[in-house]
Amino acid sequence: MKHFLVKTIANAAALAVAIWLLKDITLTGENTGRKILTLILVALIFGLVNFIVKPVVKLLSLPLFILTLGLITLVVNALMLLLTSWLAGKADLAFHVHGFWTAVLGGVIVSVVSWAMHVILPDED
């Protein structure tokens, strides 16, 4: 349970940094409390997408991983962020990623910040 909580906090922090740095990744809400709740829910969706969908996509695109020496990871991360944006829209959450290239840059930011958060936060079960 603690591992799940740590990953969710790391995802929320990473998404918050991407929202803060990129004007085309938006999170809106009536007040700060609503924005934080939306951010946590989006982080949960992002975690589920990365847990369920990403391994399947990586397996199916294994030849591209080999061919591009892993650079296709940028595209896969962007697609996971776009899928999260789409699912958040279906769940009536005010989170949106505008465009593929914004998603690529957002995916890089989320990956770096998430890695840094996992280094900082304790992850003992």
Side-chain angles (χ1 to χ4, degrees):
M1 182 67 180
K2 190 174 181 182
H3 179 69
F4 175 75
L5 185 62
V6 168
K7 286 190 80 66
T8 302
I9 291 169
N11 283 339
L15 288 167
V17 171
I19 291 165
W20 179 61
L21 289 175
L22 301 174
K23 67 177 177 83
D24 286 337
I25 298 179
T26 58
L27 176 78
T28 55
E30 299 135 13
N31 55 33
T32 304
R34 182 74 176 163
K35 286 182 182 179
I36 290 171
L37 178 62
T38 302
L39 182 64
I40 291 170
L41 291 174
V42 169
L44 288 171
I45 292 171
F46 187 67
L48 284 173
V49 165
N50 281 330
F51 181 72
I52 297 169
V53 179
K54 192 173 184 177
V56 175
V57 172
K58 287 174 88 173
L59 180 65
L60 293 175
S61 61
L62 184 61
L64 288 174
F65 274 92
I66 295 168
L67 185 65
T68 64
L69 301 174
L71 287 176
I72 196 72
T73 303
L74 297 173
V75 174
V76 171
N77 288 344
L79 293 174
M80 295 306 108
L81 197 56
L82 286 171
L83 180 59
T84 300
S85 174
W86 181 76
L87 289 171
K90 292 294 180 186
D92 206 24
L93 297 172
F95 173 78
H96 190 67
V97 178
H98 302 275
F100 176 75
W101 294 110
T102 301
V104 170
L105 189 54
V108 170
I109 292 169
V110 167
S111 295
V112 169
V113 174
S114 183
W115 170 80
M117 291 298 293
H118 285 293
V119 168
I120 293 170
L121 292 174
D123 192 22
E124 300 167 359
D125 283 331

